[in-house]
Amino acid sequence: SQTIHQWPATLVQPVGSPLSLECTVEGTSNPNLYWYRQAAGRGLQLLFYSVGIGQISSEVPQNLSASRPQDWQFILSSKKLLLSDSGFYLCARRWGLGTDTQYFGPGTRLTVL
Amino acid sequence: GQSLEQPSEVTAVEGAIVQINCTYQTSGFYGLSWYQQHDGGAPTFLSYNGLDGLEETGRFSSFLSRSDSYGYLLLQELQMKDSASYFCAVNTGGFKTIFGAGTRLFVKA
């Protein structure tokens, strides 16, 4: 089976602090991976996607960055968090040719104070 | 710009049928998906329409009309556990998917 892990599950950070969120995927090779952010009561905003090791596409210019050091690992980072970075961060993998099905990890709830 | 429009809230009674509409304006279109998200949880995939017509999966059905840039999710025999947020999403081509803001469904006893 294919499983997506995310950690930490929750995080409270002060403004200006760094951030590192990790997503790992089991049970598949060379997955297309995504980072989304969801503000409270809102839809999902695509932040980054990756089609392979070292390949990152950014959708929204901001103070976040992403990296894919391993085929099964996708990391979201920031050097200095802003209040507006608070939200629910979801890692997803795309599955299935012609269906655009996305499977999501459990998410990380980030609060920036 | 690119946009997906869906109602913010829908309320229905247990056992009833409810339809959640989604209209879209995107630069590309390769298919419409629907996801369910319970409070505090991650979205889960419900259905996908790549071609016009109706797709049925158990109590859930989804419809697409590409000429009208419109689709809907139909939930039958509503249960209390169906109370959740429902998102439509458009694959705009390549690896990009755009999500709507979501429809909050309240199921009443």
Side-chain angles (χ1 to χ4, degrees):
Chain A
S1 64
Q2 300 159 16
T3 305
I4 302 176
H5 301 281
Q6 287 187 247
W7 62 86
T10 60
L11 192 59
V12 180
Q13 292 285 97
V15 169
S17 63
L19 175 73
S20 181
L21 302 181
E22 187 164 355
C23 169
T24 59
V25 181
E26 293 179 6
T28 184
S29 61
N30 198 30
N32 294 331
L33 297 178
Y34 299 77
W35 276 113
Y36 292 91
R37 178 170 64 196
Q38 185 177 32
R42 304 292 296 274
L44 280 70
Q45 178 189 26
L46 177 61
L47 301 176
F48 301 94
Y49 66 90
S50 171
V51 300
I53 295 174
Q55 300 179 65
I56 307 295
S57 295
S58 174
E59 288 300 300
V60 183
Q62 54 203 330
N63 66 321
L64 300 174
S65 62
S67 62
R68 183 129 175 224
Q70 307 285 347
D71 183 47
W72 44 266
Q73 186 182 32
F74 200 23
I75 298 172
L76 182 71
S77 303
S78 175
K79 292 182 179 179
K80 287 187 177 182
L81 283 169
L82 307 173
L83 285 174
S84 58
D85 291 324
S86 293
F88 192 35
Y89 288 79
L90 291 153
C91 178
R93 73 167 293 262
R94 188 181 184 181
W95 179 86
L97 295 175
T99 68
D100 192 38
T101 303
Q102 298 209 11
Y103 291 104
F104 289 84
T108 295
R109 197 163 301 278
L110 171 67
T111 303
V112 182
L113 301 176
Chain B
Q2 307 199 85
S3 66
L4 281 74
E5 298 291 331
Q6 51 181 131
S8 59
E9 285 187 10
V10 174
T11 300
V13 178
E14 197 173 16
I17 299 173
V18 70
Q19 179 174 312
I20 299 174
N21 299 321
C22 175
T23 57
Y24 57 87
Q25 283 189 319
T26 57
S27 57
F29 180 85
Y30 288 82
L32 181 71
S33 303
W34 289 91
Y35 290 81
Q36 178 191 62
Q37 185 181 30
H38 287 98
D39 285 347
T44 56
F45 173 78
L46 291 177
S47 69
Y48 175 82
N49 294 75
L51 300 174
D52 289 354
L54 191 68
E55 294 284 341
E56 298 179 80
T57 308
R59 295 188 296 115
F60 294 178
S61 303
S62 58
F63 172 82
L64 173 65
S65 169
R66 288 175 296 172
S67 60
D68 296 321
S69 298
Y70 164 76
Y72 66 72
L73 178 69
L74 192 73
L75 296 82
Q76 302 182 39
E77 301 173 15
L78 278 175
Q79 303 175 10
M80 297 298 291
K81 67 178 182 180
D82 296 328
S83 293
S85 292
Y86 292 83
F87 296 89
C88 59
V90 167
N91 177 4
T92 60
F95 301 97
K96 298 182 185 180
T97 300
I98 297 176
F99 284 77
T103 297
R104 181 77 182 222
L105 172 62
F106 297 94
V107 180
K108 302 188 301 183

